[in-house]
Amino acid sequence: ITERKNYTDRLEKTVDERTKQLREALEAEKELNDLKTKFLSLVSHEFKTPLTGILTSTMLLSKYKLEAQQDKRDKHIETITSKVHYLNNILNDFLSIEKLESGKINYKFIQFNLSKVVNEVIYNANMLLKEGQKILYPENIDDITLIQDEKTVELALSNLVHNAIKYSPEQTTIEIIVNQDTKNTTFKVIDNGIGIPEKDQKNIFNRYFRAENALLDQGTGIGLNITKTHLENLGGNITFSSIEGQGSTFIMTIPNTVK
Ligand code: ADP
């Protein structure tokens, strides 16, 4: 009888374990399906508006044939260019995810000067600034060098600066502060923008997540997720603090030298 009881107990335990595994697998599959649905609706939604804009502009371009209509033609070429850039950026984000997940990223570690990276980020950011926005950034960082993947450091910083611009109104200042100690280099990107609602803060690094107050701006909710993964791959990390309606500070830290 005791043997039999032991046997039934073991059997019950196995059944319980199997049920648990099955439930977990089903949950994981559901999560994956949810992500896929989210991805598809995001792609169609994000692509539809710019594509409609491009289509309208190309149709109008062929209408404005006269010399005197050059201004109108230029305006439509500008619209097409900026929308194609936007779509290209989104595609690059998607491709980065694919690359990061399939482990296809080859970081290239070289020694580089931080001022080069900061200048490049500022140069590109200047084109995105809204009316009256300005960026304060350290100008005497010529002596700061890193041995890291230069392109990834630039991508991470530029993601933070682009967000600061996008999620801040006109006439505001964005500040970049850089510090280096013996081990790490820290970048702070401070804005006086819309901030992140407290209830959304825990999700901000989740893929495709966008806070409620950000939905008026275009975005995919991919940038911060990619930035965090890259920084962690390089031995660094990213944190933030934010008050809704007042602004946000994003802090990324990266080791000076790859280990
Ligand atoms: P995206 O900007 O394309 O939506 P991100 O992954 O870069 O995607 O950011 C995710 C979300 O985090 C944004 O949708 C926004 O809600 C919030 N966010 C990021 N940076 C800021 C910022 N500087 N100020 C306010 N909200 C921000």
Side-chain angles (χ1 to χ4, degrees):
I1 287 181
T2 325
E3 221 170 73
R4 175 131 251 177
K5 183 160 181 336
N6 280 346
Y7 174 72
T8 339
D9 280 355
R10 270 208 314 273
L11 201 65
E12 255 175 31
K13 217 172 146 208
T14 318
V15 171
D16 276 356
E17 259 165 33
R18 284 283 146 80
T19 319
K20 193 170 160 247
Q21 280 168 358
L22 194 65
R23 199 176 303 126
E24 278 170 5
L26 284 174
E27 269 166 20
E29 191 177 323
K30 186 177 172 313
E31 220 170 88
L32 196 68
N33 274 332
D34 285 353
L35 267 183
K36 274 190 198 153
T37 315
K38 232 179 180 177
F39 173 76
L40 283 179
S41 90
L42 179 94
V43 172
S44 14
H45 183 254
E46 284 302 310
F47 274 59
K48 210 170 160 48
T49 321
L51 278 177
T52 312
I54 292 171
L55 217 64
T56 314
S57 282
T58 44
M59 268 156 44
L60 290 173
L61 259 186
S62 56
K63 216 179 102 185
Y64 299 127
K65 292 199 175 87
L66 300 177
E67 193 64 28
Q69 291 169 323
Q70 181 67 35
D71 275 3
K72 285 187 173 149
R73 282 204 297 271
D74 286 350
K75 212 177 139 274
H76 286 296
I77 291 175
E78 210 176 282
T79 308
I80 294 171
T81 314
S82 91
K83 290 191 190 311
V84 169
H85 270 303
Y86 173 71
L87 290 175
N88 194 38
N89 284 343
I90 297 186
L91 267 182
N92 281 340
D93 275 353
F94 289 144
L95 289 175
S96 302
I97 288 190
E98 205 272 322
K99 262 193 178 170
L100 274 173
E101 291 204 332
S102 59
K104 274 190 227 145
I105 296 240
N106 281 325
Y107 293 114
K108 268 198 232 127
F109 301 109
I110 49 160
Q111 175 156 357
F112 62 91
N113 204 303
L114 203 57
S115 58
K116 193 171 148 233
V117 167
V118 171
N119 288 340
E120 189 69 27
V121 170
I122 298 295
Y123 176 81
N124 291 319
N126 275 334
M127 296 190 237
L128 302 173
L129 289 179
K130 296 177 189 161
E131 189 74 36
Q133 273 186 338
K134 64 171 190 275
I135 309 184
L136 301 178
Y137 60 98
E139 306 214 17
N140 41 10
I141 47 172
D142 283 342
D143 51 337
I144 300 189
T145 58
L146 289 172
I147 300 177
Q148 267 296 356
D149 183 88
E150 183 179 355
K151 281 287 149 223
T152 305
V153 176
E154 186 183 319
L155 177 91
L157 184 62
S158 99
N159 275 347
L160 298 188
V161 173
H162 289 187
N163 277 349
I165 296 172
K166 184 158 68 168
Y167 299 115
S168 300
E170 298 177 351
Q171 314 292 344
T172 49
T173 300
I174 289 143
E175 189 172 10
I176 303 175
I177 297 174
V178 180
N179 270 307
Q180 188 172 58
D181 63 23
T182 50
K183 281 195 178 140
N184 298 307
T185 305
T186 303
F187 303 79
K188 268 190 198 173
V189 179
I190 307 164
D191 69 52
N192 301 292
I194 62 173
I196 301 164
E198 212 177 321
K199 71 172 175 43
D200 288 331
Q201 296 194 358
K202 61 180 180 306
N203 294 318
I204 222 69
F205 293 108
N206 291 350
R207 187 177 304 167
Y208 309 137
F209 181 83
R210 309 200 63 221
E212 213 173 73
N213 63 341
L215 300 180
L216 284 178
D217 292 285
Q218 281 181 322
T220 57
I222 293 177
L224 281 182
N225 179 266
I226 293 177
T227 306
K228 186 170 193 276
T229 311
H230 273 307
L231 288 171
E232 286 171 357
N233 286 351
L234 298 176
N237 63 57
I238 177 165
T239 57
F240 72 95
S241 60
S242 184
I243 299 178
E244 187 175 6
Q246 289 190 26
S248 313
T249 298
F250 278 83
I251 304 175
M252 61 178 219
T253 302
I254 193 149
N256 300 333
T257 306
V258 60
K259 284 187 198 98

